[in-house]
Amino acid sequence: MKLKYIVYPLLVLLIAYLVYNKFYGAGAKEKKIEPASRKGGKKPDKTVPVNVMLVKDTAFSNAIDITGTIDANEQVDLRSETAGNITGIYFKEGTHVNKGQLLVKVYNQDQYASLRSVQVQIKLAEIVEYRNRVLLQKEAVSKEEYDTSLSSLNVLKSQADLIRAQIAKTEVRAPFSGIIGLRNISPGGYLSPSSSIATLVNMDPAKITFSVPERYLPLIKTGSKIHFNIESSPQNFVGTVYAIEPNINQTSRTITVRAKSANPKGLLRAGSFAKINLTLEQIPKTIFVPTESVIPDIKSNKVFVVSNGVAEPREVKTDVRTATGIQITDGLKPGDSVIVSGIIQLKPKVPLKIVKIIK
């Protein structure tokens, strides 16, 4: 029983000592004295270190990256206008053919026989017409007789023209110069108007077809330059816009544009995928600032500029955006110092420490 009367007082004394030492000991006094010493010492540095860019006028090319397709300048699936057995094939696959060159001939001996028969009749009709014309001048025949002979001659000539047209339909000729593809026919085979002979393609110049978002429509015009690449060649190609579709696609809200590019070496093939850089406009004099320096607001945008060593907010109007910069159309002038780092710490009238000046 006596032991508890000794232990309990000792525990109370120990706890009291610890409490006293915490609040009234030497360590506590140092902590209380420390703020006082700070009050009398040097004030903390409140300046914000920043990088600054000097505003200047720069030239800018407004361009967009899009995709397109290489198309042939001219392309046609060759077919015959008349049916018949093939009597001759006059081209080699994959070779160049000239406009008007005979490519395929269908059996036409029947038409030639009919033509020779009509030509004989024409010669006889010409003799009759000449004789009646002389007699008419001598008033030996009536005008009606002469008109009948002249009409017969003209009818025969019309028949001859019709047969010649039928003969022309038995010959398939190249409608334009180009490269002819693989043939789908053989000598002696039967050719009908629904049968495909081969494909004729003209690829010089090549056409590039692509679509542009509707909002760029005011900036696109004939004569605009495009630069493009294709997978099958490391060469950079240049083209010129020559036609713009008048209607806007209601599904994609884009407008179709077509350009031409010289293709003397035949490197561009129809159907190829093209990566296109389209120059929309050239701006010779404008202001661009880094994207991170512009602070978007609900109603406007703003930047911070250096004014008498402190930060000054300034509202700006923006236009074109690129991967690294934003065009400023109003609010800045050449010579202004735009803050491009430490934007989060900035407030109006905050003192600044300029670490680096970007020119």
Side-chain angles (χ1 to χ4, degrees), residues 45-67:
D45 187 7
K46 294 183 179 180
T47 59
V48 177
V50 295
N51 293 336
V52 172
M53 187 192 82
L54 294 180
V55 175
K56 61 180 179 181
D57 287 326
T58 57
F60 171 69
S61 295
N62 188 8
I64 57 174
D65 293 322
I66 47 181
T67 59

Side-chain angles (χ1 to χ4, degrees), residues 61-64 219 224-227 277-282:
S61 295
N62 188 8
I64 57 174
L219 302 177
S224 298
K225 296 294 182 182
I226 66 170
H227 296 80
N277 180 268
L278 172 63
T279 301
L280 297 173
E281 61 178 340
Q282 297 281 347

